[in-house]
Amino acid sequence: MQMAASNPDVPLTYKDPINRIMMKRFLIIWIVLAVCGRTVAQEGKNTFIKKVFTRLDTMSISGVDRRYIDAPERPWQVIAKGNVNQSIVKMKTSGTIADINYSARPHLKTEPSQYVGLWAGYRGYGIGYTVNVGGDKGSYLTFGATGGTYGVNVRIHSFKNNHPDFNLATDLIPEENKDDWQQIHLKDPIKVHTVIADGYYLFNGKHFSYAAAYDQSVIQKRSAGSLMAGAMYYYSHIDYASHSNGDLIYLMHGLGRVKLWQGSVGVGYAYNWVPVRGLLINVMAMPMLTFVNKIKAYGYATNVPELLDDPRMWDDDIDNEAWDEWWDGSLRITPMGKKTFNSGVMVNFDARLSLTYNFGRYFVNAYGQFNNFRYQHSNTHGYLNDWFVNTSIGIRL
């Protein structure tokens, strides 16, 4: 099932040079900010930048009990990060071709991908960027802002996959050939772009710090927990709309692109355990109620029915290479419009675990997170799972 040239009208692309440009800009911005911040502190000038940094210093310790939470004297953090991530998009569809029933469960599972990058911040306000060094191609851009009783984090992930596990079940394919159809190489890859933003409010910010566990801008000195309220926003764009994927779109009942939005709120509990000086273990659990659950489906017509009626489709005298060339060069798709669907309220669950060890100006951290998001459209439905394990080592400047 080889595919043909990609659709030039599809607007969404992700190219490696863009990743490199964004990385360079990120480094330049934070080098400039670091130089400005330290220069202002040394010279003591009453400038706008100094006022901003002073305000951040105040906010980081405002209202906290210094017996439980300590703000390091050195406000800057530079962190080298290593990340292992896997994203899984699973779709399921069924239908009939030439009076023969079929079902397909395309499984767009990326290889566990390795990322490396940097994060830099001042008192918990920072930006990070990681690039792929192993597995499927992709990139991460992250933003963070934490205070004594609140925090906001944004994670942007882009990746593409051209070898989905298709899991096609149908009498159209002889039993001895079905193994060849389980994994397909697409000439035009499926592209996935996700944005996850979450925020929280702590009811016991005086004794408990979420920032101590997840960005190390402060240090938790004694064990404490807190009830917390949280909100999460999720967006995903799955796009495989191209001429070369016309047969895939046909099997998916004309669905070539899908966008998902979800908004959730919840109340949970988090606990920081400090068994020995310098070591922090954090656990957090939060049931969440999803009240925004919207899907926008983009439909496409294909010429697959016409190709199925073509005598060349069933001509056993045509060799495989000639048949592939005819099929690949003949596939076409035509946009047919879009439709928005709103799903009902559902319950999700957010859980995280973090380990941190502080020693002098340095610290090491590891934490993991898992997200699950579902969608449904006509006879097609599925979900996206996204998990990552992050390890880092940082220094305070």
Side-chain angles (χ1 to χ4, degrees):
M1 193 173 178
Q2 296 294 321
M3 305 295 173
S6 61
N7 181 4
D9 297 328
V10 177
L12 187 61
T13 58
Y14 307 101
K15 296 182 181 295
D16 292 338
I18 295 178
N19 294 340
R20 294 195 294 269
I21 293 172
M22 293 178 68
M23 186 64 175
K24 291 179 181 178
R25 290 180 177 176
F26 153 68
L27 291 173
I28 293 172
I29 290 171
W30 276 107
I31 290 172
V32 171
L33 286 176
V35 172
C36 291
R38 294 188 64 84
T39 301
V40 168
Q42 292 171 1
E43 297 179 0
K45 294 181 179 179
N46 186 21
T47 64
F48 173 75
I49 295 179
K50 180 182 178 181
K51 290 181 180 180
V52 171
F53 287 135
T54 300
R55 177 60 177 168
L56 294 179
D57 291 340
T58 303
M59 292 169 62
S60 67
I61 60 174
S62 177
V64 306
D65 187 336
R66 299 298 290 272
R67 296 174 301 170
Y68 284 79
I69 302 170
D70 188 26
E73 292 183 3
R74 299 175 182 270
W76 285 93
Q77 306 135 269
V78 177
I79 304 174
K81 287 182 174 288
N83 180 288
V84 177
N85 168 273
Q86 187 174 45
S87 297
I88 302 172
V89 178
K90 197 164 189 177
M91 297 178 281
K92 184 177 181 180
T93 186
S94 60
T96 302
I97 297 178
D99 296 326
I100 300 177
N101 294 328
Y102 75 90
S103 66
R105 295 186 297 274
H107 200 183
L108 284 61
K109 180 167 67 174
T110 67
E111 301 174 11
S113 301
Q114 298 80 45
Y115 293 79
V116 296
L118 292 174
W119 189 94
Y122 186 94
R123 298 297 188 196
Y125 293 77
I127 182 173
Y129 188 75
T130 59
V131 294
N132 173 268
V133 293
D136 285 346
K137 293 182 178 180
S139 64
Y140 271 103
L141 181 64
T142 58
F143 303 89
T146 59
T149 59
Y150 67 90
V152 177
N153 297 281
V154 179
R155 185 161 58 102
I156 302 171
H157 183 202
S158 300
F159 72 92
K160 53 188 176 181
N161 184 291
N162 64 355
H163 50 279
D165 295 325
F166 201 62
N167 299 313
L168 182 66
T170 175
D171 293 334
L172 286 169
I173 304 172
E175 189 68 32
E176 62 272 15
N177 295 333
K178 285 187 176 180
D179 289 342
D180 298 333
W181 284 73
Q182 299 315 303
Q183 191 172 80
I184 300 170
H185 181 78
L186 303 177
K187 288 188 175 180
D188 192 26
I190 299 173
K191 308 172 189 70
V192 180
H193 182 64
T194 64
V195 178
I196 300 176
D198 59 75
Y200 64 87
Y201 177 81
L202 302 174
F203 293 93
N204 184 24
K206 182 176 182 179
H207 298 122
F208 171 87
S209 173
Y210 187 85
Y214 291 95
D215 67 24
Q216 293 74 51
S217 57
V218 297
I219 298 174
Q220 184 85 37
K221 298 167 65 176
R222 295 185 181 183
S223 300
S226 177
L227 187 70
M228 59 191 301
M232 177 177 289
Y233 167 81
Y234 170 79
Y235 165 81
S236 180
H237 184 185
I238 304 169
D239 182 9
Y240 49 93
S242 66
H243 293 308
S244 64
N245 293 334
D247 40 11
L248 174 59
I249 292 172
Y250 179 73
L251 291 176
M252 300 305 293
H253 297 280
L255 184 65
R257 292 170 58 197
V258 60
K259 294 182 179 181
L260 303 90
W261 294 265
Q262 289 190 342
S264 307
V265 295
V267 177
Y269 190 81
Y271 190 78
N272 280 344
W273 179 37
V274 185
V276 295
R277 183 177 179 180
L279 178 62
L280 172 63
I281 301 173
N282 170 272
V283 291
M284 188 275 284
M286 180 181 294
M288 304 195 81
L289 191 66
T290 300
F291 62 93
V292 174
N293 196 359
K294 185 172 69 171
I295 304 167
K296 182 177 289 187
Y298 293 77
Y300 294 82
T302 76
N303 65 337
V304 171
E306 290 79 6
L307 296 180
L308 293 175
D309 291 334
D310 193 302
R312 286 171 289 185
M313 175 70 189
W314 313 103
D315 189 349
D316 294 334
D317 294 330
I318 301 178
D319 61 49
N320 290 337
E321 184 176 347
W323 189 94
D324 287 341
E325 183 178 354
W326 164 74
W327 180 265
D328 293 347
S330 302
L331 284 169
R332 293 292 182 272
I333 66 171
T334 304
M336 297 297 291
K338 56 191 175 184
K339 189 172 183 180
T340 300
F341 304 86
N342 290 294
S343 302
V345 176
M346 61 184 298
V347 177
N348 284 329
F349 192 80
D350 188 14
R352 306 180 190 187
L353 174 66
S354 171
L355 304 174
T356 304
Y357 184 69
N358 294 280
F359 51 103
R361 297 169 54 191
Y362 302 91
F363 53 89
V364 293
N365 170 263
Y367 74 91
Q369 183 174 334
F370 174 83
N371 297 105
N372 171 263
F373 305 94
R374 297 180 178 272
Y375 71 91
Q376 183 170 355
H377 166 59
S378 185
N379 292 335
T380 300
H381 61 276
Y383 62 81
L384 185 144
N385 285 342
D386 188 279
W387 65 262
F388 70 88
V389 175
N390 186 83
T391 59
S392 61
I393 180 169
I395 183 173
R396 298 183 177 94
L397 303 174

